[in-house]
């Protein structure tokens, strides 16, 4: 028989924002005792009054508890309860101090005043018209969100997701979720198909619902895009969708046919030269990726077929002049690259560290600047752009900022209608550029401009879908300069020497040296011991021996997210060691404190911060439920509900480190990582360190990774589109 109790939340001991599971202390009405309540509660707040239904139980470790099965919230009626309720941070614009002032003025009528006569709040010192409006809006939103949350709670939606849903749809949330819960996976960051599917099944959608199968197809194609594929083969898609959705593949085929007719997806084949049969597999594209891939091919061909914007260069004289400017003689391959840049419309320069890429770029820029042509430099990340500018002496920006995203129109301002004002565009770290970003970049490049892509094809491919730089090289349509000679001054660095050894399939040199070096390997078999060594290195040994700042200059890079030395565990432990703040904001199981290093994990064009940007928490305002993150001197405001866009960044994945260099890097490499250990991953990690690289782990794991040079194949057709005419690519009619 269920028992009903009511009381006021005194303290929230623990809450999991993903599922709402909460442990709280509650003062029972009419009694002096405070009891422990456990169960799924949506955003429980100290001071909140609740009526709970459930049962008493005795936990073997924690004693008597009330297990909540269902509940409803009410507002507190006592002065002390109202003060605690308002001061909990529930209402944006009211903190503990302001709550005290309001309750001291209005007493038990406080909540009625806020609800019906909010203008009276201006009688309180420190509350003006602007704050009154903020408080009123927050109060109204809380009332509405509670109704929505109670509906969503009845369908097992966590509080964290409920807030996102309400922010997206407002008072229409219940109607939208009831009509098509799969829309959540498309519209809301953080809510994927699996979560939407669970909600849909709870509401009553059948397993073979057409809405479910179509949403499942989009889910699989998006998952494949996250793994790097621009398209996915038709038969493999039917099989994978059938397996994940637990439906007959024939139903999936019907859904694919319908979605293709609606142009939500595209199905394509490639014809042979004689028109009989096809080349390769039938491909299924999300419309966005087909548009981008075909667009890239068309725009590169346009660049190649359009004359240069400036006069021809006497390359012999230019080489003599620029070597005088640089005060040294270019190597044969470097001189060849400079000459090619003068004659080519599209060119790729690729090579590892120490092979002279920067010297070539400096020479090219000096020559083109002498001709007084408009020059632009760009890179995918802020750190890469800054390093490019420092190395060349020319200003550089990120690709996103160069293209000027407009938050109001939702697109880049620089495009085919408003192209970049440039005759030469040099893009560094081009291996990082995915299909979508390259498409938008090329749309903004004038047809008469010269494009030079600089990158290291031996690094990991882009995080986003595609293998653009590799495909451009493989097409054979553009001039490619490959640099593989390490210059003498670079041979003094073990980092550079070992990076090339790893890239060529050899173990790095790790012998002890009488003098300090820039590359170390610390043998550790046990993951827990490896973690302890990493914490000691980052917190004491490297700062004491080399003088690096432990937060700003030392970066831990891990091959994986899970495990004792995965990024999640490392971030928790490094935060405790390097920034042990107690007064922070809890989000998704993580605590963010002032001084913490955070990474943005999605592009946010409104804030002008992008996936991979790293900043530091510089200010927290609990009263207004917001904090500021400093990104290289630019303070960006985040509401607490937006903090799922950032993660701790004391340790980041090797993939996320692409395009960045750090004074010192620490890399755990253990056999528990074997699934992800690949030569290009280890090579990428090592080349992120500018002055110091320390590997911690086992030589067995290191050897496994270096031996494994079979990178995951990505399904793309960019190289074929660059080689062949467009008419060979045909939309397939599925019977």
């Amino acid at each position: 028989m269920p028992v009903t109790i009511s009381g006021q939340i005194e303290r929230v001991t623990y809450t999991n924002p993903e599922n709402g599971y909460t442990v709280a202390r509650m003062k029972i009405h009419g009694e002096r005792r405070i009891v422990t309540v456990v169960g799924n509660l949506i955003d429980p707040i100290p001071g909140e009054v609740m009526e709970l239904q459930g049962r008493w139980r005795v936990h073997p470790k924690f004693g008597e508890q009330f297990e909540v099965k269902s509940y409803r919230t009410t507002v507190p009626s006592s002065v002390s309860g109202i003060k605690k309720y308002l001061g909990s941070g529930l209402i944006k614009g009211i903190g503990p101090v302001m709550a005290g002032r309001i309750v001291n003025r209005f007493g038990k009528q406080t909540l009625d005043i806020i609800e019906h006569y909010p203008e009276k709040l201006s009688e309180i010192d420190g509350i003006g018209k602007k704050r009154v409006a903020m408080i009123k809006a927050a109060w109204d939103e809380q009332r509405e969100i509670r109704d929505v949350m109670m509906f969503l709670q009845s369908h097992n939606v966590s509080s964290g997701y409920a807030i996102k849903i309400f922010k997206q749809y407002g008072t229409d949330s219940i109607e939208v979720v009831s009509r098509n819960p799969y829309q959540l996976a498309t519209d809301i960051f953080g809510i994927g198909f699996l979560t939407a599917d669970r909600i849909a099944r709870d509401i009553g959608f059948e397993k073979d619902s057409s809405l479910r199968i179509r949403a499942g197809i989009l889910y699989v194609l998006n998952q494949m895009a996250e793994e790097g594929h621009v398209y996915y083969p038709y038969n493999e898609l039917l099989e994978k969708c059938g397996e994940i959705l637990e439906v007959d593949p024939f139903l999936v085929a019907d859904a694919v046919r319908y979605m293709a007719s609606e142009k939500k997806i595209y199905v394509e084949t490639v014809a042979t030269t004689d028109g009989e049969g096809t080349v390769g597999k039938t491909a299924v594209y999300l419309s966005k990726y087909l548009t981008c891939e075909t667009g890239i091919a068309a725009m590169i061909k346009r660049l190649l077929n359009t004359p240069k914007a400036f006069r021809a260069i006497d390359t012999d004289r230019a080489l003599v002049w620029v070597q005088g400017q640089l005060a040294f003689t270019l190597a044969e391959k470097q001189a060849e690259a400079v000459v090619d840049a003068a004659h080519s419309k599209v060119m790729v320069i690729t090579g590892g560290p120490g092979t002279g890429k920067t010297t070539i770029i400096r020479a090219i820029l000096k020559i083109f600047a002498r001709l007084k042509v408009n020059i632009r430099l760009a890179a995918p990340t802020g750190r890469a752009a800054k390093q490019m500018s420092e190395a060349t002496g020319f200003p550089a920006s990120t690709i996103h900022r160069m293209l000027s995203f407009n938050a109001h129109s939702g697109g880049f301002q620089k495009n085919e209608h408003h192209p970049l004002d440039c005759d030469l565009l040099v893009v560094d770290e081009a291996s990082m550029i995915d299909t979508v970003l390259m498409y938008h970049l090329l749309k903004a490049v004038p047809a008469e401009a010269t494009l030079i892509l600089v990158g290291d094809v031996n690094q990991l491919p882009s995080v986003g879908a595609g293998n653009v730089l590799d495909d451009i090289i493989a097409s054979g349509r553009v001039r490619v300069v490959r640099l593989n000679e390490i210059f003498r001054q670079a041979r003094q660095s073990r980092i550079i020497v070992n990076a090339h050894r790893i890239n060529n399939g050899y173990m790095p040199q790790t012998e002890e040296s009488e003098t300090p070096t820039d590359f170390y390997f610390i043998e550790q078999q046990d993951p827990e011991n490896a973690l302890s060594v990493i914490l000691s290195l980052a917190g004491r040994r490297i700062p004491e021996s080399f003088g690096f700042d432990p937060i700003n200059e030392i970066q831990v890079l891990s091959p994986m997210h899970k495990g004792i030395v995965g990024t999640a565990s490392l971030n928790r432990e490094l935060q405790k060691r390097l920034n042990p703040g107690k007064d922070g904001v809890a989000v998704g199981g993580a605590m963010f404190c002032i001084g913490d290093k955070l990474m943005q994990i999605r592009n946010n064009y409104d804030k002008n911060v992008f996936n991979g940007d790293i900043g530091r928490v510089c200010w927290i305002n609990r009263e207004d439920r917001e904090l500021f993150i400093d990104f290289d001197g630019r303070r960006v405001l985040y509401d607490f509900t937006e903090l799922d866009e950032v993660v701790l960044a004391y340790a980041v994945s090797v993939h996320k480190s692409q395009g960045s260099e750090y004074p010192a890097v620490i890399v755990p490499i253990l056999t528990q990582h074997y699934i992800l250990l690949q030569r290009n991953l280890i090579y990428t990690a090592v080349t992120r360190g500018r002055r110091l690289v320390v590997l911690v782990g086992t030589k067995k794991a290191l050897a496994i990774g270096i031996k494994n040079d079979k990178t995951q194949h990505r399904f793309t057709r960019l190289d074929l589109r660059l080689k062949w005419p467009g008419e060979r690519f045909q939309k397939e009619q599925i019977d």
Side-chain angles (χ1 to χ4, degrees):
M1 191 72 181
V3 176
T4 300
I5 64 172
S6 61
Q8 187 169 36
I9 299 290
E10 291 286 317
R11 184 176 74 252
V12 177
T13 306
Y14 169 81
T15 186
N16 183 332
E18 295 303 310
N19 57 25
Y21 181 78
T22 297
V23 179
R25 298 282 285 167
M26 171 181 276
K27 186 177 185 304
I28 303 295
H29 285 333
E31 300 183 23
R32 290 188 175 183
R33 65 175 178 149
I34 296 177
V35 301
T36 298
V37 298
V38 298
N40 294 332
L41 307 177
I42 293 177
D43 276 356
I45 294 170
E48 195 167 13
V49 176
M50 293 184 171
E51 183 180 283
L52 312 175
Q53 279 197 326
R55 66 184 181 91
W56 293 101
R57 70 174 189 182
V58 178
H59 191 281
K61 183 176 180 181
F62 301 109
E64 187 180 52
Q65 298 176 337
F66 188 82
E67 187 176 42
V68 181
K69 296 298 182 185
S70 63
Y71 72 96
R72 67 184 185 90
T73 60
T74 60
V75 294
S77 55
S78 69
V79 169
S80 61
I82 293 170
K83 187 182 293 187
K84 183 176 291 186
Y85 181 64
L86 286 182
S88 64
L90 171 74
I91 306 300
K92 191 171 184 177
I94 302 180
V97 174
M98 189 59 70
R101 291 182 192 171
I102 295 172
V103 175
N104 289 343
R105 172 69 178 82
F106 298 113
K108 290 185 177 182
Q109 294 181 303
T110 296
L111 300 182
D112 187 60
I113 293 291
I114 295 173
E115 175 74 34
H116 300 291
Y117 312 103
E119 64 278 359
K120 289 190 175 184
L121 294 173
S122 59
E123 299 173 13
I124 308 296
D125 185 36
I127 299 184
K129 288 185 178 180
K130 186 176 180 180
R131 189 170 287 263
V132 168
M134 181 193 297
I135 292 169
K136 175 61 176 170
W139 179 263
D140 290 343
E141 182 179 77
Q142 282 299 319
R143 185 180 61 245
E144 292 170 350
I145 200 171
R146 287 287 158 173
D147 294 338
V148 172
M149 281 182 158
M150 293 307 291
F151 166 78
L152 295 173
Q153 182 203 24
S154 69
H155 295 295
N156 299 310
V157 180
S158 73
S159 58
Y161 289 149
I163 292 171
K164 284 175 173 288
I165 292 168
F166 184 81
K167 286 187 72 173
Q168 178 72 24
Y169 305 121
T171 54
D172 294 330
S173 298
I174 295 174
E175 193 270 332
V176 170
V177 173
S178 300
R179 184 183 71 248
N180 183 8
Y182 295 103
Q183 191 173 333
L184 303 176
T186 303
D187 293 347
I188 301 176
F189 172 72
I191 297 183
F193 169 78
L194 298 179
T195 299
D197 192 39
R198 178 173 52 78
I199 296 169
R201 300 298 296 278
D202 196 84
I203 289 174
F205 279 74
E206 295 296 330
K207 186 181 286 188
D208 59 358
S209 158
S210 59
L211 282 177
R212 179 175 185 265
I213 296 173
R214 292 170 203 164
I217 291 168
L218 294 178
Y219 164 70
V220 171
L221 287 173
N222 277 299
Q223 284 292 106
M224 294 304 100
E226 288 184 13
E227 291 182 16
H229 304 297
V230 179
Y231 72 86
Y232 207 60
Y234 174 73
N235 289 330
E236 284 89 331
L237 178 68
L238 298 190
E239 184 179 339
K240 188 175 284 288
C241 288
E243 181 182 322
I244 290 174
L245 299 174
E246 297 179 332
V247 297
D248 193 310
F250 287 111
L251 294 177
V252 180
D254 286 341
V256 168
R257 186 182 306 109
Y258 174 83
M259 295 170 74
S261 70
E262 294 284 305
K263 297 186 177 178
K264 297 285 180 60
I265 60 176
Y266 286 88
V267 183
E268 181 190 76
T269 57
V270 184
T272 57
T273 51
D274 58 9
E276 295 183 7
T278 60
V279 177
K281 298 182 177 182
T282 300
V284 183
Y285 282 85
L286 289 167
S287 56
K288 172 176 73 173
Y289 290 110
L290 182 65
T291 298
C292 291
E293 190 175 82
T294 55
I296 291 170
M299 288 181 285
I300 288 178
K301 290 178 181 178
R302 180 195 63 173
L303 283 170
L304 292 169
N305 293 326
T306 306
K308 279 180 175 285
F310 46 87
R311 61 184 172 82
I313 299 172
D314 184 335
T315 52
D316 291 337
R317 288 181 60 192
L319 277 175
V320 172
W321 176 83
V322 80
Q323 289 177 109
Q325 293 290 305
L326 295 172
F328 60 80
T329 302
L330 295 171
E332 182 181 348
K333 202 75 171 177
Q334 291 177 316
E336 178 189 327
V338 173
V339 171
D340 286 341
H343 297 307
S344 304
K345 278 299 303 302
V346 181
M347 175 181 174
V348 173
I349 301 172
T350 182
T355 57
K357 294 194 300 294
T358 301
T359 299
I360 294 170
I361 297 306
R362 286 175 59 206
I364 292 170
L365 293 176
K366 283 185 177 294
I367 292 171
F368 279 63
R370 177 80 170 178
L371 296 172
K372 297 189 175 356
V373 302
N374 290 327
I375 298 172
R376 298 294 294 264
L377 273 63
T381 67
R383 284 175 180 255
K386 185 178 180 181
Q387 289 155 11
M388 191 182 191
S389 182
E390 291 171 350
T392 64
F394 285 76
S397 68
T398 64
I399 295 171
H400 285 94
R401 293 190 176 101
M402 182 179 71
L403 298 180
S404 304
F405 187 84
N406 187 316
H408 297 293
S409 64
F412 290 108
Q413 289 181 287
K414 296 296 182 182
N415 50 42
E416 66 271 39
H417 305 297
H418 300 94
L420 295 165
D421 182 18
C422 72
D423 303 308
L424 169 67
L425 174 61
V426 182
V427 183
D428 199 8
E429 296 288 355
S431 63
M432 287 183 64
I433 305 176
D434 62 27
T435 300
V436 175
L437 185 56
M438 182 62 83
Y439 170 70
H440 287 292
L441 173 64
L442 291 177
K443 280 173 68 177
V445 179
E448 65 276 8
T450 294
L451 174 65
I452 299 177
L453 301 174
V454 185
D456 186 348
V457 291
N458 295 309
Q459 290 184 23
L460 290 168
S462 59
V463 174
N467 207 356
V468 177
L469 188 63
D470 251 2
D471 284 349
I472 290 173
I473 293 171
S475 73
R477 289 296 304 271
V478 307
R479 176 69 180 118
V480 178
V481 175
R482 296 180 184 270
L483 305 170
N484 44 39
E485 178 188 353
I486 309 175
F487 285 92
R488 186 179 60 190
Q489 63 271 28
R491 293 192 198 116
Q492 298 171 8
S493 166
R494 272 199 179 182
I495 294 175
I496 292 175
V497 170
N498 283 335
H500 286 271
R501 287 181 63 85
I502 289 166
N503 190 44
N504 291 320
Y506 299 108
M507 291 286 283
Q509 297 173 352
T510 58
E511 306 84 21
E512 291 187 11
S513 173
E514 293 181 3
T515 57
T517 181
D518 59 3
F519 190 100
Y520 294 89
F521 184 91
I522 299 176
E523 184 87 28
Q524 286 295 330
Q525 300 282 342
D526 182 69
E528 291 188 359
N529 290 341
L531 173 61
S532 179
V533 168
I534 291 168
L535 296 176
S536 176
L537 286 167
R540 179 181 59 82
R541 292 166 61 180
I542 292 177
E544 287 180 358
S545 299
F546 296 89
F548 294 130
D549 179 274
I551 295 180
N552 291 322
E553 296 184 308
I554 300 174
Q555 185 63 57
V556 179
L557 307 177
S558 180
M560 63 194 304
H561 295 287
K562 297 180 180 179
I564 294 173
V565 287
T567 56
S569 170
L570 283 165
N571 271 313
R572 287 192 299 269
E573 298 304 319
L574 286 164
Q575 182 189 44
K576 292 176 190 175
R577 177 68 65 94
L578 303 179
N579 191 40
K582 296 180 180 177
D583 194 16
V585 180
V587 179
M591 179 73 74
F592 298 154
C593 305
I594 290 177
D596 273 336
K597 180 160 67 171
L598 304 182
M599 174 181 279
Q600 179 80 11
I601 58 172
R602 65 174 295 222
N603 290 336
N604 188 319
Y605 297 105
D606 293 333
K607 298 183 186 297
N608 204 23
V609 290
F610 304 101
N611 192 354
D613 285 356
I614 289 180
R616 298 278 297 273
V617 178
C618 58
W619 185 71
I620 297 175
N621 182 345
R622 285 170 185 76
E623 186 168 300
D624 291 340
R625 299 178 64 78
E626 58 193 23
L627 60 72
F628 278 97
I629 301 175
D630 186 304
F631 292 97
D632 290 327
R634 191 172 65 89
R635 287 158 56 100
V636 180
L637 179 66
Y638 285 74
D639 188 271
F640 283 3
T641 60
E642 298 173 314
L643 292 180
D644 59 347
E645 294 187 12
V646 294
V647 295
L648 289 172
Y650 297 101
V652 301
S653 68
V654 178
H655 275 89
K656 286 289 188 182
S657 74
Q658 287 177 265
S660 296
E661 283 187 347
Y662 312 93
V665 299
I666 305 169
V667 187
I669 299 181
L670 291 102
T671 50
Q672 66 176 204
H673 298 151
Y674 78 95
I675 295 175
L676 295 172
L677 288 179
Q678 294 177 342
R679 184 183 298 173
N680 61 353
L681 182 140
I682 297 172
Y683 173 79
T684 301
V686 168
T687 55
R688 298 310 88 204
R690 194 161 60 242
R691 294 160 57 192
L692 178 67
V693 172
V694 183
L695 307 183
V696 180
T698 69
K699 290 187 177 178
K700 179 181 178 182
L702 185 59
I704 289 171
I706 293 172
K707 185 178 179 181
N708 180 15
D709 65 344
K710 294 176 181 165
T711 57
Q712 182 199 27
H713 173 71
R714 292 187 168 194
F715 290 110
T716 82
R717 284 181 171 170
L718 178 59
D719 59 336
L720 299 182
R721 295 185 197 281
L722 286 167
K723 289 177 185 176
W724 297 337
E727 54 267 22
R728 290 187 62 178
F729 299 86
Q730 302 170 355
K731 299 295 180 297
E732 178 79 356
Q733 297 297 320
I734 305 173
D735 297 326

